[in-house]
Amino acid sequence: MLSRSHPRSPRTGRPRSAAADEAILEATRASLVDLGWSKLTMGDVATRAGVAKTTLYRRWAGKNELVVDAVAVLFDELELPDLGSLSADVQAVVLQFAALLERPETRTALMAVVAESTRDEALRTRIRDSIVDRQKRLVLQGRRRAQERGELPVEPDEGAASTTADLIFDVIAGAVVHRVLVSAESVDADWARRFTVLLLAGLGAAAST
């Protein structure tokens, strides 16, 4: 499901090792959990991954880029199931998303890069490109299925359709992230059901205006 990392532009020479990439990204997440953002270093990641530090710098310019890609890989695990209705699909992906956020490596890494991005515009842009925009595929896929089933109307205006997709993503991501990471509350099947009812009611109202 898309590439598992987004390093700098490719270089000529010896081919990259997918196993090394995976080891590096896993080591990055482990370092964040153990050390936190401020103490994480490229050297520590290299040691944990069993590679030379120069190997990291051939792939990533620095810690910011490396950590974002380590987080992005986790979010690429999300899949939108086809359960026959928009309601069932949304509830399933909400539960899947919440379970991902509850993993220590996801929670620590995501909160670290978001906090650091408040004072780093380039990092904020990388988060948007590597995580946010990539995961909007789930909204686009779900909406397309719902339109094919007749559950949602097709928006002929591309600009309006794009705005709606952004809003749906913001509402789902914002609600689940706030519930799990800010309020520290669980997202169970009942919460996912009630949230989905509220979301779909809003979509229905928006379509009628």
Side-chain angles (χ1 to χ4, degrees), residues 101 107 111 174-185:
L101 291 177
R107 181 172 61 247
M111 294 186 77
V176 178
V177 168
H178 188 278
R179 176 80 177 175
V180 176
L181 299 185
V182 179
S183 297
E185 299 283 352

Side-chain angles (χ1 to χ4, degrees), residues 73-92:
V73 167
L74 296 176
F75 283 95
D76 283 345
E77 295 176 9
L78 294 172
E79 294 280 6
L80 183 68
D82 188 352
L83 300 177
S85 72
L86 180 58
S87 175
D89 292 354
V90 171
Q91 289 180 62

Side-chain angles (χ1 to χ4, degrees), residues 7 9 13 19 27 51 63 116 124 129 137 147 151 178 188 194:
S9 55
V51 300
K63 182 168 77 172
E116 189 67 19
R124 190 155 55 244
D129 293 343
R137 65 188 168 78
Q147 289 171 341
E151 295 175 292
H178 188 278
D188 57 17
R194 290 186 290 110

Side-chain angles (χ1 to χ4, degrees), residues 86-146:
L86 180 58
S87 175
D89 292 354
V90 171
Q91 289 180 62
V93 81
V94 163
L95 289 171
Q96 193 182 148
F97 182 33
L100 178 63
L101 291 177
E102 288 170 353
R103 288 163 53 178
E105 65 271 29
T106 311
R107 181 172 61 247
T108 304
L110 181 60
M111 294 186 77
V113 294
V114 169
E116 189 67 19
S117 72
T118 61
R119 49 183 176 271
D120 187 332
E121 177 63 32
L123 179 57
R124 190 155 55 244
T125 298
R126 191 174 181 89
I127 291 171
R128 183 172 61 247
D129 293 343
S130 298
I131 300 175
V132 176
D133 288 348
R134 273 161 64 173
Q135 298 315 315
K136 285 181 180 177
R137 65 188 168 78
L138 298 172
V139 171
L140 298 176
Q141 183 182 12
R143 184 175 63 176
R144 183 177 65 253
R145 286 179 186 167

Side-chain angles (χ1 to χ4, degrees), residues 13 60 67-68 77 88 128 156 169:
W60 293 274
V67 172
V68 171
E77 295 176 9
R128 183 172 61 247
F169 180 87

